[in-house]
Amino acid sequence: MKYFDYAATCPLDREAADIFIQASTKYYGNSQSLHEAGSASANLLESCRQEFARLLGVEKAGIYFTSGGSEANFLGIMALLSAKRKNGNHIITGAAEHSSVYNLMKKLGGEGWEITFLPLNSSGKIELASFIEAVRPETVLVSIQHGNPEVGTIQPIINVAEYCRSEEILIHTDCVQTFGKIPVAPLAGWVDALSISGHKFYGPKGTGMAYVNPKLAWKPYIDGTVHEKGFRPGTVNVPGIAAMTAAAQKAHSLMDIETKRVNKLREALIESLSDVRESIEIFGAEGDEQLTGIMGMAIKGLEGQYVLLECNRQGFAISTGTACHTGMLSPAKTMTAMGIEGKQAKEFFRISFGRETQQEDAVNLGKILAAITSQVSVV
């Protein structure tokens, strides 16, 4: 099977896997325990915390390890709400946020918070003018993802954060799709909280990290929590965090090389579609506003699920959107947020590249998509 679903999850890096095994057998003590085995685990944990602080260019005191991106999103947002700078009950978010954020916003809406869901333009981007127009005197929090997981558009987080700072509004950003692929450090100093997930950059599943500005006086979501300075309950997964840290270091060291390589894969796939290009739509932005590794697409007249099954039958794994959304009858949230409705929205499918993707694989997938497209007579 040729894998083209790296935006959903990545295989565990072998070096990170080795570190996981070593840490599991050597640093097995509970990091909260006072004995020597506990202290060894605690020291390793703090080394990992320091490394993530270095990679992000933030203070070590603001780094908290979680069970993944979803928990990091949830706890990061709740921490900011507990530390809001002014009175108010209005939150602004995107209409195509990851389910962990979108569903939390729906829940908060049912608890008395007023939520504004911002739409996306035709490139999958939130317009800065639309954001500013949505801000009210009672706006206390903004949560907008850095990179869209379905079409790959990169949002202008620094510009949004600059405005938030001037209005005493706290801002959280979901960096799950961008960390390890493009530099995140430039925006980390501007936001009040951000989230990442280990398995998106070849770390182990069940690992993640949240950054919360240590200058904020946030409160634990669950009173009495002692792990991660009260940020989350439960024994800390030190081996998993060590492996995630190794994966993060490797992803950062390969970032420039991989970006150039993946861009060539993207160009090769598009080139192989040249004969049927008029029947295929590629969503997203251009240049620095686009993650090269994600291609949101549609073949006019065919449901994305049919395209997925045909590709799967021929040994190529693609998707019809984020894995947290797959299986639902509704179309991908990004399509709805872009104003694409009904049958057209269900034509969407996603291709995402990774380290093991070869040029030949990208070309062959393009040929399969071209063959599928040729079966449809476009009116």
Side-chain angles (χ1 to χ4, degrees):
M1 176 65 70
K2 301 298 182 181
Y3 189 68
F4 282 85
D5 199 16
Y6 286 87
T9 192
C10 299
L12 178 60
D13 178 79
R14 290 194 176 276
E15 293 172 23
D18 289 341
I19 286 175
F20 180 85
I21 293 170
Q22 291 175 37
S24 295
T25 54
K26 187 176 180 180
Y27 297 92
Y28 50 82
N30 189 317
S31 58
Q32 288 289 114
S33 298
L34 298 179
H35 48 60
E36 189 174 330
S39 296
S41 291
N43 289 338
L44 176 57
L45 185 65
E46 293 312 304
S47 295
C48 294
R49 202 183 309 277
Q50 182 63 56
E51 182 59 16
F52 271 103
R54 185 189 71 80
L55 292 172
L56 289 170
V58 297
E59 292 182 48
K60 175 185 170 184
I63 302 292
Y64 302 97
F65 295 113
T66 69
S67 66
S70 292
E71 187 186 42
N73 280 334
F74 175 82
L75 292 177
I77 288 169
M78 297 309 294
L80 294 190
L81 287 178
S82 75
K84 60 183 184 176
R85 289 199 173 104
K86 59 181 180 177
N87 292 327
N89 69 335
H90 181 232
I91 301 171
I92 298 174
T93 190
E97 297 298 308
H98 184 265
S99 297
S100 60
V101 173
Y102 188 87
N103 293 338
L104 173 59
M105 292 300 169
K106 289 289 187 180
K107 182 178 186 294
L108 291 171
E111 296 174 355
W113 293 86
E114 292 188 29
I115 316 294
T116 296
F117 293 92
L118 296 176
L120 305 179
N121 64 17
S122 59
S123 298
K125 188 177 177 182
I126 289 173
E127 296 281 0
L128 189 60
S130 299
F131 160 72
I132 293 173
E133 188 178 343
V135 173
R136 308 175 192 170
E138 62 270 24
T139 304
V140 295
L141 175 68
V142 170
S143 180
I144 295 173
Q145 64 193 180
H146 187 204
N148 181 280
E150 293 176 326
V151 299
T153 305
I154 299 167
Q155 303 297 344
I157 298 300
I158 292 178
N159 300 101
V160 172
E162 284 178 321
Y163 188 82
C164 286
R165 188 172 289 186
S166 71
E167 299 295 320
E168 293 191 309
I169 299 167
L170 297 176
I171 177 170
H172 163 266
T173 185
D174 173 354
C175 295
V176 166
Q177 287 294 344
T178 53
F179 182 87
K181 300 173 183 69
I182 61 173
V184 170
L187 68 80
W190 280 97
V191 300
D192 299 292
L194 63 80
S195 313
I196 70 170
S197 181
H199 73 105
K200 301 292 188 179
F201 50 88
Y202 305 88
K205 294 174 178 62
T207 61
M209 188 223 76
Y211 164 74
V212 180
N213 185 342
K215 294 178 182 177
L216 295 173
W218 57 268
K219 298 174 184 176
Y221 181 67
I222 299 175
D223 290 337
T225 299
V226 295
H227 292 284
E228 288 300 279
K229 302 174 192 172
F231 192 71
R232 71 179 297 267
T235 303
V236 180
N237 178 10
V238 175
I241 291 163
M244 176 177 68
T245 306
Q249 291 170 322
K250 187 169 183 177
H252 270 252
S253 70
L254 296 174
M255 195 184 298
D256 292 341
I257 295 170
E258 275 297 289
T259 297
K260 292 173 184 175
R261 191 184 71 84
V262 169
N263 196 46
K264 289 180 180 178
L265 295 175
R266 184 187 184 96
E267 290 172 354
L269 192 147
I270 293 173
E271 176 62 27
S272 65
L273 296 171
S274 56
D275 290 344
V276 294
R277 188 65 183 84
E278 291 183 2
S279 299
I280 292 181
E281 184 157 8
I282 299 175
F283 303 101
E286 300 289 336
D288 293 339
E289 294 182 342
Q290 177 66 33
L291 287 169
T292 57
I294 295 178
M295 291 181 68
M297 305 173 69
I299 296 174
K300 296 170 187 175
L302 281 181
E303 280 203 9
Q305 191 166 338
Y306 173 81
V307 178
L308 180 155
L309 293 172
E310 278 296 292
C311 288
N312 186 67
R313 189 173 63 83
Q314 299 192 53
F316 287 79
I318 67 170
S319 76
T320 52
T322 60
C324 296
H325 185 81
T326 301
M328 297 184 182
L329 295 175
S330 55
K333 283 201 296 288
T334 303
M335 294 295 98
T336 305
M338 289 170 63
I340 300 171
E341 304 281 351
K343 184 179 177 182
Q344 187 181 0
K346 290 188 177 182
E347 292 174 351
F348 177 83
F349 61 92
R350 180 186 69 187
I351 291 167
S352 47
F353 307 96
R355 283 185 202 158
E356 295 178 15
T357 312
Q358 301 299 314
Q359 181 110 346
E360 181 184 4
D361 300 334
V363 171
N364 287 338
L365 176 57
K367 289 177 180 178
I368 289 169
L369 292 174
I372 294 170
T373 306
S374 298
Q375 298 171 11
V376 187
S377 59
V378 181
V379 178

